[in-house]
């Protein structure tokens, strides 16, 4: 039986192969149809292909439902409206940028209209995915960059109406709405089958929210890639400061542990052997861990 919790595979381990091996080991005492009741969310199409290939090497068997995290907005039970076509959004923003430059020609040259529209569209999608409002950015204290930031805020005012329009969402907002609605459904009626999120670090805000929702399910499982179990306690403590530690490869796991009210020591190896699975070179991993 699959026990709920947060698990990991060590740096350097072949994640798809050992993910499948660990899952099959946990299901050996279950009837064959039990595997088909497992739902696994994967982070990329390539990962799904490699996981499917790892299952195929084990011969004929029932497989779990393999889904991509990015496919969640297309689930019909969540009723997420279709995304606005990217070209339409950029043309809308280009028209608004042009109007702003007509009224304030010193902000930027007219030749930059479409470049600015592209940048604003990318920024809007990222802000939607992370759940950051234009008001939040406008309220930031940037005393040392006041002149530049004032201009930036003017451009941000253009995208503000597009950030929370659930009727015409960008891809980032669709993903966030889907995760929020799925989490609400699970909270009201937890699934009676195992739900696994595998291969994600939670670097994107919406993915982190999905991982938190799954970790809180009665049969929810996270399988983290490249988790460093050799990092000493003082190293984990230093990862609390996002200004200095955000570029560290283990920073997302520290934040995930904090969000779930866990410590890194609560993360368990996906395999029973020391290190969480057959890492290519545990002796090499330890000095690399210290060097980071």
């Amino acid at each position: 039986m699959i026990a709920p919790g947060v698990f990991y595979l060590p740096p350097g381990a072949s994640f798809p192969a050992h993910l499948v091996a660990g899952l099959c080991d946990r299901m050996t005492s279950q009837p064959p149809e039990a595997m088909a009741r497992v739902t696994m969310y994967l982070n990329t199409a390539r990962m799904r292909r490699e996981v499917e290939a790892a299952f195929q090497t084990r011969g004929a068997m029932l497989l779990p439902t393999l889904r991509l995290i990015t496919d969640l907005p297309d689930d019909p039970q969540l009723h997420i409206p279709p995304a606005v076509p990217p070209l339409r959004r950029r043309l809308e923003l280009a028209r608004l940028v042009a109007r702003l430059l007509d009224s304030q020609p010193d902000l930027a040259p007219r030749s930059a209209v479409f470049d600015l529209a592209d940048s604003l569209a990318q920024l809007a999608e990222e802000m939607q995915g992370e759940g950051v409002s234009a008001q939040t950015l406008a309220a930031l204290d940037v005393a040392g960059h006041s002149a530049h930031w004032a201009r930036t805020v003017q451009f941000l005012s253009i995208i503000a109406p597009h950030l929370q329009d659930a009727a015409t969402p960008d891809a980032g907002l669709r993903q966030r709405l889907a995760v929020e609605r799925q989490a609400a459904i699970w909270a009201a009626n937890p699934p009676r089958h195992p739900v696994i999120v595998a291969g994600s670090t939670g670097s994107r805000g919406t993915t982190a929210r999905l991982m938190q929702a799954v970790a809180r399910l009665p049969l929810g499982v996270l399988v983290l890639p490249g988790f460093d179990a050799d990092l000493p306690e003082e190293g984990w403590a230093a990862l609390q400061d996002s200004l200095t530690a955000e570029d560290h490869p283990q920073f997302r796991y520290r934040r995930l542990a904090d969000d779930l009210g866990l410590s890194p020591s609560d993360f368990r190896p996906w395999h029973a052997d020391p290190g969480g699975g057959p890492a290519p070179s545990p002796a090499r991993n330890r000095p690399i861990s210290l060097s980071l």
Side-chain angles (χ1 to χ4, degrees):
M1 185 62 180
I2 302 177
V6 182
F7 299 86
Y8 67 86
L9 283 163
S14 174
F15 189 85
H18 297 311
L19 171 67
V20 171
L23 178 59
C24 291
D25 288 346
R26 285 166 167 76
M27 301 297 288
T28 52
S29 62
Q30 301 296 308
E33 63 271 18
M35 182 69 83
R37 300 191 190 102
V38 176
T39 298
M40 182 180 293
Y41 289 91
L42 300 166
N43 56 334
T44 65
R46 178 181 176 181
M47 177 68 75
R48 182 168 63 182
R49 290 193 300 269
E50 292 181 353
V51 168
E52 289 172 344
F55 274 115
Q56 290 170 4
T57 63
R58 293 178 167 266
M61 62 182 296
L62 293 172
L63 300 183
T65 300
L66 301 179
R67 303 185 63 186
L68 294 181
I69 293 173
T70 51
D71 288 343
L72 198 58
D74 298 324
D75 188 333
Q77 71 170 343
L78 299 180
H79 307 292
I80 306 298
V84 173
L87 179 59
R88 171 184 162 186
R89 179 67 82 216
R90 280 160 172 76
L91 291 176
E92 290 173 345
L93 290 174
R95 184 171 65 251
L96 294 173
V97 169
R99 289 180 184 172
L100 179 61
L101 296 184
D102 285 341
S103 62
Q104 301 184 49
D106 62 321
L107 283 178
R110 290 281 303 184
S111 59
V113 166
F114 289 103
D115 287 339
L116 289 170
D118 283 340
S119 297
L120 286 172
Q122 294 170 10
L123 177 61
E125 183 172 336
E126 185 172 351
M127 290 172 64
Q128 288 175 332
E130 298 297 323
V132 177
S133 68
Q135 291 77 15
T136 299
L137 291 184
L140 290 177
D141 182 8
V142 287
H145 308 277
S146 56
H148 174 75
W149 187 248
R151 293 190 171 197
T152 302
V153 169
Q154 287 182 295
F155 282 107
L156 289 176
S157 66
I158 294 176
I159 65 174
H162 301 281
L163 291 178
Q164 301 299 328
D165 188 357
T168 57
D170 290 336
L173 181 55
R174 287 189 83 231
Q175 186 71 21
R176 182 162 60 85
L177 291 173
V179 167
E180 290 174 350
R181 293 181 187 181
Q182 184 64 80
I185 291 173
W186 283 337
N189 186 22
R192 298 180 180 179
H193 61 272
V195 178
I196 302 173
V197 174
S200 294
T201 63
S203 59
R204 299 184 68 87
T206 47
T207 304
R209 290 187 184 91
L210 178 65
M211 294 170 70
Q212 293 168 31
V214 169
R216 294 185 175 105
L217 293 176
L219 294 176
V221 174
L222 304 182
V223 185
L224 309 176
F227 176 79
D228 183 7
D230 295 317
L231 191 64
E233 188 172 330
E234 58 269 23
W236 283 114
L239 296 181
Q240 287 181 310
D241 187 355
S242 60
L243 292 178
T244 60
E246 189 171 8
D247 291 336
H248 194 284
Q250 301 297 308
F251 171 76
R252 304 298 174 189
Y253 295 149
R254 174 59 199 247
R255 189 172 69 175
L256 176 65
D258 291 343
D259 290 339
L260 294 175
L262 302 174
S263 69
S265 61
D266 294 319
F267 295 177
R268 291 173 281 166
W270 184 237
H271 284 271
D273 56 301
S281 179
R284 180 188 62 189
N285 283 354
R286 285 190 287 272
I288 291 177
S289 171
L290 289 174
S291 70
L292 292 174

